[in-house]
Amino acid sequence: MADVTTTDGSFPDIAGMRYEDAREELIAIVAKLEAGQAPLEDSMHLWRRGEALAAHCATWLDGAQAEIERATRPPAASAPAGELHADDEIFDEDDES
């Protein structure tokens, strides 16, 4: 897989990656960096790409979490306006009568 870098140091190919593909490449980059065999310039390039991949994965995970929260959120109260419920704030005040 080519990792084309633009002049500003970004990796445009990452934007279209699936989460699983980005995660797999990130794992491979971490292994290469941990091995410590790459020259400094290559290591810095790998580091920058790894950071971009990690951010991409975080965006995917944040989006998935938001979607799950929307899907599992209880429906908005369908009670008519003006109807009081025991958990309404008005009942939280101490009655000193």
Side-chain angles (χ1 to χ4, degrees):
M1 172 184 283
D3 64 344
V4 179
T5 309
T6 61
T7 55
D8 66 354
S10 64
F11 300 90
D13 62 312
I14 291 175
M17 291 179 86
R18 294 174 349 129
Y19 170 80
E20 291 80 6
D21 296 334
R23 184 176 175 276
E24 281 184 34
E25 185 177 345
L26 179 57
I27 290 168
I29 286 174
V30 169
K32 287 178 188 175
L33 289 172
E34 285 179 343
Q37 299 302 312
L40 180 59
E41 186 175 342
D42 292 347
S43 294
M44 293 306 299
H45 178 76
L46 287 169
W47 178 268
R48 287 189 295 275
R49 184 158 178 89
E51 287 288 320
L53 288 163
H56 182 69
C57 288
T59 299
W60 266 106
L61 292 173
D62 290 345
Q65 180 178 3
E67 189 172 330
I68 290 168
E69 287 174 1
R70 277 192 305 273
T72 58
R73 183 179 304 134
S78 57
E83 186 175 321
L84 295 176
H85 297 278
D87 61 346
D88 287 345
E89 195 173 307
I90 192 169
F91 295 111
D92 291 341
E93 297 175 10
D94 290 341
D95 185 17
E96 296 184 22
S97 335

